[in-house]
Amino acid sequence: MANNNEVKKEKMDKKPERQHDRPRREESEFEKKLVSVRRVTKVVKGGRTMRFSALVVMGDGKGSVGLGLGKANEVPSAIEKATVAAKRNMKKVAIVNGTIPHEIVGKYGSSNILMLPAKEGTGVIAGGSARAVLELAGIRNIVTKFHGSTNKINCVKATFNGLVSLRTREEIALRRGKQPEEI
């Protein structure tokens, strides 16, 4: 009798091995954030067609950041397309001691974002859409202010444009043919 109970316990202890049909996701060195998902409607002769657009920001937290916009009939495929576009659109950002090297205004459409360098301990003071770009770029201390349109897509693109146009003192000196100390 005890033998029978032991056999039952052993069977209960073993969990059945599951076979997963879906492929394993590859681990990437990039982090990604979904900034916005919008349902867009196109009116055609037969009625309305619904689609989705997704905005994804990717970065490694060490100075590389990219953004991508994807459109598809379903949300997951729109996010996947946006992720692929963000990987393709990676750019390097100039970072000095966890902040930006100088103040700059990023522009896209009617959205403007003023970005100011901040001292250590300030943190990222930015709106939600800009915060995603700045944190994934690896900027830890910055102060920002939006002017004009606050549309999420335009704000992310304005932030991205501003960060890409940043230059360090060494880059400017090299361009002018001078020493960094002269500037």
Side-chain angles (χ1 to χ4, degrees):
M1 195 73 166
N3 231 358
N4 198 13
N5 285 339
E6 287 175 17
V7 172
K8 284 183 182 177
K9 281 183 185 177
E10 282 180 25
K11 283 184 180 177
M12 290 177 73
D13 288 342
K14 286 186 179 179
K15 291 186 179 177
E17 293 180 23
R18 296 181 184 159
Q19 296 292 326
H20 294 288
D21 292 338
R22 69 184 123 146
R24 301 231 8 156
R25 263 197 252 165
E26 62 188 57
E27 286 299 316
S28 174
E29 71 270 16
F30 298 113
E31 243 184 281
K32 77 174 184 179
K33 280 191 182 174
L34 180 64
V35 177
S36 91
V37 175
R38 302 191 311 176
R39 189 182 79 187
V40 290
T41 308
K42 182 169 85 170
V43 180
V44 292
K45 186 178 174 185
R48 296 185 185 120
T49 58
M50 305 288 189
R51 296 176 80 198
F52 295 92
S53 73
L55 179 65
V56 171
V57 179
M58 288 187 92
D60 62 356
K62 299 175 196 152
S64 290
V65 69
L67 66 95
L69 193 61
K71 297 176 188 171
N73 290 333
E74 289 96 28
V75 175
S77 51
I79 293 170
E80 187 62 35
K81 285 182 182 180
T83 305
V84 169
K87 270 188 190 169
R88 232 185 358 246
N89 194 20
M90 293 297 262
K91 298 273 197 279
K92 291 296 275 179
V93 174
I95 300 174
V96 178
N97 299 329
T99 189
I100 55 176
H102 54 86
E103 64 181 60
I104 194 159
V105 176
K107 297 178 182 178
Y108 184 83
S110 64
S111 293
N112 298 325
I113 182 169
L114 171 66
M115 293 183 272
L116 305 170
K119 61 184 181 183
E120 190 66 38
T122 304
V124 177
I125 300 174
S129 52
R131 177 181 294 271
V133 179
L134 297 168
E135 286 177 348
L136 290 174
I139 297 171
R140 295 184 308 275
N141 301 297
I142 191 168
V143 177
T144 65
K145 177 65 183 151
F146 282 120
H147 296 287
S149 170
T150 54
N151 174 310
K152 281 185 181 182
I153 294 172
N154 288 351
C155 288
V156 166
K157 287 185 176 183
T159 307
F160 187 73
N161 289 346
L163 290 177
V164 168
S165 60
L166 287 170
R167 301 285 175 256
T168 61
R169 177 175 283 173
E170 289 77 19
E171 290 170 338
I172 294 168
L174 185 68
R175 202 177 231 180
R176 295 181 187 174
K178 296 184 176 185
Q179 294 297 319
E181 297 80 37
E182 295 178 40
I183 296 176

